[in-house]
Amino acid sequence: MEWSDEGFVLSARKHGETSTIVTLLTRDHGRHLGLVRGGSGRRARGLYQPGNRLKATWRGRLAEHLGSFGCEMIEAVAAPLMGDPLRLAALSSLCAVAEAALPEREPHQPVFDALAVVLDVLGSADANVWQSVYVKWEIGLLQELGFGLDFSQCAATGSLDNLAFVSPRTGRAVSVEGAGPYRDKLLDLPAFMLSGNASAPSTDDILAGLRTTGYFLERHVFSGRREAKTPDARNRFADRLAGRTVTGV
């Protein structure tokens, strides 16, 4: 069997002396693994950096086999970010979240297309732009996996105004007035997460958004996948954004 597709590198793990097992998020074949012979060599190592966009050909005797990849570079996403630790941490987080959340070999083209948008702004946009787009990508990921959040109106009063919280139980928005005595038990809903809001978020807003999406990812997605917790790369990104000392990216 054989197919060709575009894919973003999510991870590359050494296998044996010279080979690498590469995980790609492909447009039409979903999250897919394949063996790359010689993938750990010096020339090939740069090709399989997380985030790079590749043209991949997969071959295997049977569809259920691991199979092998042959890849060519379309866009080197990782290399231009090497001088910016925060953007590089965001890139690592994006790839780790996608790998942990998405079922294997199940197409999710909206996630692929949205990831392409995030990676584009990650390399070119101002901080408050790419950071807000990152959070919205996680909202879209939840939606695609069947755990969409509803910020259209207050779950308690039906109001469209002053939406400031999210119910951890239902994922629905709650207004300042509707929060009442439950305010301390609700998650934050920064204004930038609301549809049509063009305000520039602060770092605190971004961190609040990450806490909210992270709660639902851990509750609904990671606990049912191979990872039973939030990927370490995502925690490191949040720590670096908050200015806390971190090791690695």
Side-chain angles (χ1 to χ4, degrees):
M1 299 191 64
E2 180 177 325
W3 52 257
S4 294
D5 202 352
E6 287 188 19
F8 292 105
V9 178
L10 300 183
S11 69
R13 299 177 176 88
K14 188 173 181 180
H15 180 77
E17 291 297 319
T18 61
S19 297
T20 300
I21 294 178
V22 175
T23 303
L24 301 179
L25 175 57
T26 64
R27 180 188 297 276
D28 298 321
H29 298 83
R31 182 175 67 84
H32 208 291
L33 281 69
L35 181 71
V36 177
R37 295 179 176 84
S40 60
R42 182 178 302 177
R43 290 186 177 181
R45 200 175 301 153
L47 187 64
Y48 299 108
Q49 291 295 315
N52 283 352
R53 189 168 189 162
L54 309 179
K55 178 69 173 180
T57 298
W58 180 88
R59 297 180 179 87
R61 193 168 64 85
L62 297 174
E64 60 267 25
H65 287 179
L66 173 65
S68 62
F69 277 134
C71 298
E72 299 176 3
M73 183 76 79
I74 295 176
E75 181 182 5
V77 175
L81 304 180
M82 290 300 178
D84 190 322
L86 182 58
R87 292 179 195 248
L88 192 61
L91 174 62
S92 297
S93 179
L94 281 165
C95 295
V97 168
E99 183 171 21
L102 294 171
E104 190 177 355
R105 302 189 180 196
E106 184 177 296
H108 286 281
Q109 188 170 336
V111 178
F112 177 93
D113 291 339
L115 182 60
V117 172
V118 183
L119 294 177
D120 182 54
V121 299
L122 185 62
S124 60
D126 293 338
N128 61 357
V129 174
W130 71 256
Q131 291 169 14
S132 64
V133 171
Y134 179 105
V135 176
K136 291 175 181 179
W137 178 81
E138 291 193 340
I139 294 173
L141 177 64
L142 285 162
Q143 175 73 38
E144 177 68 11
L145 294 176
F147 306 108
L149 307 179
D150 182 1
F151 302 151
S152 60
Q153 63 182 31
C154 175
T157 67
S159 172
L160 305 180
D161 301 320
N162 298 324
L163 302 178
F165 305 102
V166 182
S167 167
R169 184 176 64 85
T170 66
R172 297 181 64 190
V174 180
S175 67
V176 173
E177 296 78 10
Y182 303 103
R183 182 169 183 157
D184 291 342
K185 297 182 179 180
L186 301 174
L187 301 165
D188 290 323
L189 179 58
F192 81 90
M193 294 171 68
L194 297 172
S195 177
N197 189 287
S199 60
S202 66
T203 298
D204 286 343
D205 291 334
I206 298 296
L207 288 168
L210 286 172
R211 286 192 293 270
T212 295
T213 55
Y215 173 87
F216 291 103
L217 284 168
E218 186 159 359
R219 177 183 177 186
H220 294 304
V221 179
F222 298 141
S223 61
R225 301 297 185 207
R226 300 167 297 110
E227 296 281 349
K229 62 182 181 64
T230 301
D232 291 339
R234 189 184 188 277
N235 293 330
R236 288 194 293 269
F237 168 51
D239 286 344
R240 190 175 289 278
L241 183 62
R244 293 186 286 265
T245 302
V246 296
T247 57
V249 291

